[in-house]
Amino acid sequence: MENLTITGTAKTPTIEFDYQTGNLNLKGRSIPENSLEFFQPILNWIEDYTQRPQVTTIVEVKLEYFNTSSSKHLLDMFKKLERLSNNGRQVTIHWHYDQEDEDMFEVGQDYQIIVKVPFKLIPSASIA
Amino acid sequence: MNKGIDIYKYYSEMEDNNILLAYKGEITSKVLTSLLDIVEHKLDKLSEGIKVKKTMFNVLVECLQNLYHHSTEFSVLDIPNSSYSHVIVMIKRDIDEYTIMTGNYILSTNVNTLKTKIDKVNSLDKEELRMYGSKVLAHDGFSDKGGAGLGLIDMARKTGQKLGYEFLPINDKFAFFNLNLKVTNKS
């Protein structure tokens, strides 16, 4: 299947989903007014991916900001990957956060509890 | 010339009240982006710390997007006087806190539902609010408009303060909803 690449904007993140390597990267800001419109193709791609996944999938989330409507879609995405993990595939989510950003750390913890997939919180010097 | 309004009076009043931003009108996607951009630049210029900048930005995104979705709802309702879909947004900067103030018309019939949601959020302490937020995120049906009140929960969580509000009755059909959010700026 094809890779999914979406260039980031002031309100939407950069998406680099590489099918061959199973590396799924999300980076930047996710604050669109109509978040479903943005996330639908992403969710569709993940759905297809779960039909023919790689042995190992690593999701790198490096978000500087995201709004509450995006938070629902992120969860949808993680839940789809959770099903993959339940089927014996190895899925890891890396949640990167700015070490000074307590809120982003806390939200990461919230997802960590809700999503039953290895979920690592990774502090970094700055996320831009 | 028209019988002039005293523009300097408005200017001075805003200056005296440390108004960082004031906007009145329609909230379109473009306006929303511009307002966020302006505020982000101003906060950079004021050399605010990362915590304050992030909180202000996050909270403002939620506020403005609520206003945006409500305006869109109103435009669908076919309300003759379009100014009912207009809003006001002001940001005040004091020594140790910022106040984000928004005002918009809502249907009188929706006042109680909204009031109940805000009161619920305001009744919870930090840890309860976090649990409530997770619960709404994980279990409630999705609404792109954040109808479950996730936005309100998030505002309370991020600011760590109660949401100030007031409903002013305007006429049979409308009330004016004023939301006041404080963001502390103490290091």
Side-chain angles (χ1 to χ4, degrees), chain A residues 24-128:
Chain A
L24 316 185
N25 298 330
L26 266 108
K27 191 183 171 192
R29 297 179 171 195
S30 184
I31 52 168
E33 290 87 54
N34 299 305
S35 54
L36 183 60
E37 200 181 309
F38 178 76
F39 275 94
Q40 197 60 65
I42 296 169
L43 294 168
N44 291 346
W45 192 93
I46 301 268
E47 188 62 40
D48 286 350
Y49 179 81
T50 56
Q51 304 304 313
R52 43 201 153 151
Q54 301 296 346
V55 180
T56 308
T57 306
I58 297 177
V59 187
E60 305 280 354
V61 185
K62 283 188 192 174
L63 290 174
E64 187 195 3
Y65 290 109
F66 63 96
N67 57 4
T68 49
S69 62
S70 296
S71 70
K72 281 273 185 189
H73 299 298
L74 282 175
L75 182 62
D76 286 349
M77 195 178 107
F78 296 154
K79 284 282 177 189
K80 284 184 192 296
L81 293 163
E82 182 184 277
R83 283 197 287 278
L84 195 58
S85 165
N86 291 341
N87 293 334
R89 301 291 172 143
Q90 200 187 331
V91 180
T92 313
I93 299 171
H94 291 163
W95 182 268
H96 299 264
Y97 66 95
D98 187 319
Q99 60 194 7
E100 288 185 68
D101 192 348
E102 289 163 38
D103 288 326
M104 199 54 93
F105 171 70
E106 230 181 58
V107 185
Q109 282 185 321
D110 292 347
Y111 279 119
Q112 200 175 37
I113 294 164
I114 303 170
V115 185
K116 307 288 176 236
V117 162
F119 198 109
K120 285 185 196 158
L121 301 168
I122 303 171
S124 57
S126 83
I127 288 182

Side-chain angles (χ1 to χ4, degrees), chain B residues 118-144:
Chain B
I118 302 177
D119 287 342
K120 162 91 184 172
V121 167
N122 281 346
S123 72
L124 304 174
D125 67 22
K126 194 175 183 292
E127 203 46 42
E128 289 168 335
L129 206 51
R130 184 174 182 179
M131 282 165 66
Y132 184 50
S134 282
K135 195 187 125 231
V136 173
L137 177 67
H139 301 297
D140 284 17
F142 184 74
S143 151
D144 204 35

Side-chain angles (χ1 to χ4, degrees), chain B residues 24 29 39 42 44 49 67 76 85 87 93-94 115 127 137 147 149 151 157 167-168 170:
Chain B
K24 176 193 161 292
S29 179
V39 173
K42 289 205 177 192
D44 275 340
L67 294 173
V76 178
S85 68
V87 307
R93 179 180 188 253
D94 293 310
K115 189 178 180 307
E127 203 46 42
L137 177 67
R157 273 184 81 174
F167 293 97
L168 302 170
I170 302 295

